[in-house]
Amino acid sequence: EIMKDVFDLKKVEDQLKQSLDLSEVFIIPGDSDKDPWVKKEMGRTTVQLIKRFLQGEERKIVAITGGKTIAAVAEMMTPDKQMKETLFLPARGGLGEQVENQANTICATIATKAMGHYRLLHVPDQISKESYKSLMEEPKIKEILDQIRSANLVVHGIGEARTMAERRSSTDEVLHKLSEKHAVAEAFGYYFNQVGDIIHKVTTIGLQLEDMTNSKCVVAVAGGSSKAQAILAYMKQKKSNILVTDEGAAKSLLKIH
Ligand code: BG6
């Protein structure tokens, strides 16, 4: 019985790898919508992936996003030889999240648990075009932005569009735009429709979608059947190489795909 389950997950991992055009897919048994420990297991697998990746790399710069899923990655982080030399950075500046969901907060936690290093990116969430421009010219900001862009590993979450927009207390105008343009997915502060087109973007500095080039390994961590559609839509952008997900999302993905 157990062997059969394990075998089936392996099969689905291969199927999703093919259909989403990814280099690796990891499926954790269970559904994180229902069982919180499933999210922790996704976190544990992601920690192993981070360590495996850094082992072979001279440059050890990891950019991470915020969110509860990446918070679970931080929770499961443990120190290791290669972690001592690792620099953790937030992928992007403020996106309107509560403190516990912010990339900065999670970045500090993950680095501390890894016994590595971190730097933070202090950018206000709501910022005028003028302030944004002058901020970009600050030498200290420039320096950290260069470091963020040079990250060779990116670890990020994927969210369901409406959930994310509401969580970030977006204006009615933004909420309206998202529903009018049928947003289904969110990642890095970008909102996508079902075919993966960008329909809205939160203005902030840090990694832009076009910075996610082949020279980076990009790991998406997202699970729960409620995120299946979001995962599918975001993956149309083909910016991530690896997906860590759960059985709940994987099963729904196969159904809607
Ligand atoms: C955000 C990330 O912080 O977390 C997003 O920037 C992602 O890319 C979101 O959509 C997911 O949040 P959660 O709490 O569902 O893991």
Side-chain angles (χ1 to χ4, degrees):
E1 212 32 77
I2 287 168
M3 278 312 287
K4 184 170 157 259
D5 271 1
V6 170
F7 178 72
D8 280 348
L9 282 185
K10 273 263 151 282
K11 210 171 97 181
V12 179
E13 282 175 349
D14 283 340
Q15 265 173 292
L16 287 180
K17 203 172 89 174
Q18 292 268 324
S19 62
L20 302 176
D21 193 17
L22 293 163
S23 62
E24 281 181 292
V25 173
F26 298 88
I27 304 174
I28 303 302
D31 186 334
S32 51
D33 281 346
K34 296 177 198 135
D35 308 299
W37 53 265
V38 177
K39 200 169 273 178
K40 287 193 189 173
E41 287 308 313
M42 291 198 299
R44 193 197 303 276
T45 295
T46 309
V47 166
Q48 285 164 0
L49 276 174
I50 296 172
K51 290 183 181 180
R52 186 191 73 182
F53 175 84
L54 292 172
Q55 227 163 26
E57 295 291 311
E58 220 163 274
R59 195 174 349 123
K60 299 179 193 297
I61 305 183
V62 185
I64 62 143
T65 68
K68 296 189 178 79
T69 314
I70 307 305
V73 177
E75 197 184 334
M76 301 311 278
M77 183 50 87
T78 52
D80 212 305
K81 214 169 57 216
Q82 50 270 10
M83 291 292 151
K84 269 194 291 198
E85 304 147 26
T86 301
L87 176 63
F88 291 91
L89 300 166
R92 297 190 76 193
L95 298 174
E97 297 270 11
Q98 304 272 347
V99 172
E100 67 274 21
N101 285 327
Q102 280 170 19
N104 267 341
T105 314
I106 295 164
C107 182
T109 308
I110 203 168
T112 306
K113 293 199 80 172
M115 292 171 96
H117 309 272
Y118 68 89
R119 290 186 73 183
L120 302 181
L121 186 56
H122 297 291
V123 205
D125 292 340
Q126 301 291 329
I127 188 167
S128 69
K129 287 250 153 61
E130 296 73 46
S131 319
Y132 175 85
K133 263 180 103 180
S134 56
L135 203 62
M136 293 285 273
E137 274 148 32
E138 280 294 321
K140 280 279 169 217
I141 299 265
K142 254 191 183 158
E143 190 188 303
I144 185 169
L145 280 178
D146 282 342
Q147 276 184 318
I148 292 173
R149 274 190 220 107
S150 78
N152 42 349
L153 179 63
V154 180
V155 181
H156 71 93
I158 301 170
E160 192 266 314
R162 189 155 190 101
T163 309
M164 292 310 299
E166 281 171 2
R167 189 164 99 186
R168 289 171 176 159
S169 313
S170 308
T171 61
D172 285 345
E173 200 187 327
V174 169
L175 289 175
H176 184 74
K177 180 177 167 193
L178 293 177
S179 75
E180 198 179 50
K181 297 197 170 179
H182 309 287
V184 295
E186 188 281 345
F188 304 103
Y190 287 81
Y191 289 83
F192 309 88
N193 65 12
Q194 212 175 353
V195 291
D197 296 333
I198 300 166
I199 57 176
H200 178 70
K201 176 186 164 193
V202 182
T203 315
T204 188
I205 57 178
L207 282 186
Q208 308 297 314
L209 212 52
E210 61 264 27
D211 295 323
M212 248 68 75
T213 57
N214 286 342
S215 62
K216 295 188 196 317
C217 175
V218 185
V219 182
V221 194
S225 50
S226 63
K227 283 192 184 180
Q229 212 190 9
I231 296 169
L232 187 62
Y234 164 75
M235 287 301 175
K236 304 244 183 261
Q237 283 276 340
K238 298 199 187 295
K239 292 293 184 189
S240 302
N241 322 95
I242 300 178
L243 171 66
V244 179
T245 188
D246 63 19
E247 199 181 338
K251 281 184 174 158
S252 307
L253 265 166
L254 289 181
K255 263 182 236 153
I256 58 176
H257 201 56

